[in-house]
Amino acid sequence: MLVVMKPQASEDDIRAVCEKIQVLGYRPHVMPGAERTAVGITGNHGPLDPAEFETLPNVAEAIRVSKPYKLVSREIKAENSVIRVGSGACEVTIGGKKLAIIAGPCAIESREQAFAAAERVRRAGARLFRGGAFKPRTSPYSFQGLGEEGLKILAEVRERFGLAIVTETIDSETCELVEEYADVLQVGARNMQNFSLLKRVGRSKKPVLLKRGMSATLEEFLMAAEYILSEGNYNVILCERGSRTFADHTRNTLDLSVIPGAKDLSHLPIIADPSHGTGRRDKVTPLARAAVAVGADGLIVEVHPHPDRALSDGFQSLYPEQFEELMAEVRAIAGVVGRTVPYGPEASEPATSSSDPAPSRRTAQPAP
Ligand code: PEP
Ligand code: MN
């Protein structure tokens, strides 16, 4: 159920609704909106009586939410959620007019590799850096990531290049460690229905990038996001990363229609991963363009300084020059659909001093 407050409702009126919900043994979720605040209720197993709430001061109405997912639903929040990520000089938003561009290698392999990637993606206009320190690999014999050492390198990247950090948490055991270093916790496709991990990141203060499982329906995807919101973390960014299909010309099939599909049903932002979504370097840029054209709120792209030497996903990683081209093309498409890519390209100016956290910011050019 959703308790919709009148526009003039005060903090005390909202608090009274929350207390009433708690007294009944349920959990309130305050969802501030542009025009009015709504309070979602979870934890009830049967229908609630709207009259219980409609008699409280400044309650406009109490309505049943028809969808199985509640807090992620547009029924509960009509306007798009804009998620704040990172802090200070690294703060960016995901879900507004500005596209969020996340780029970097599949895995952090060394300080040199991470710095080389960071320098190039920042210069091309990315303001979020990706890179796994804990890697979920199909083979137990494949490179599993550098663990905490990789997280420390990511923290250095943030300091030195002014990039917010997106990195994967693969299990509840190591989640606390990842949380210490990351600006955004990535939950991978293989963990989309790892319900204990979803609940764990739902209790985190950090935003979560939730990747769609490789055979998940849209409803299953939204239900996975609902797990995170139901624990109190409303900062979730959805990510389409391709499904396993009969296609053998690509690794996965990027489901572009899920982007407008998710936006119809949910207020959460959704970005696209054309790297895992195609698995082929030459398909990444065309699908990145397409994803922006269908309304994606951003992109997550694998970029490696030497893809031929990458320890994971080299065949789908872009060379830095290719990422620069991708950015130029995406910038042009963004303009057509009323979005912007707010940063870059910047002149070549390698980072020199760790006391200057964002050296190339001085040359930042606004998007045309
Ligand atoms: C990744 O982002 O490197 C990754 C492992 O992604 P996915 O979970 O989509 O396979
Ligand atoms: Mn990868």
Side-chain angles (χ1 to χ4, degrees), residues 106 130 135 251 276 302 312-313 316:
C106 178
R130 62 146 296 146
K135 294 302 303 174
R251 179 181 180 190
H276 296 85
E302 288 186 338
S312 64
D313 286 351
Q316 67 192 33

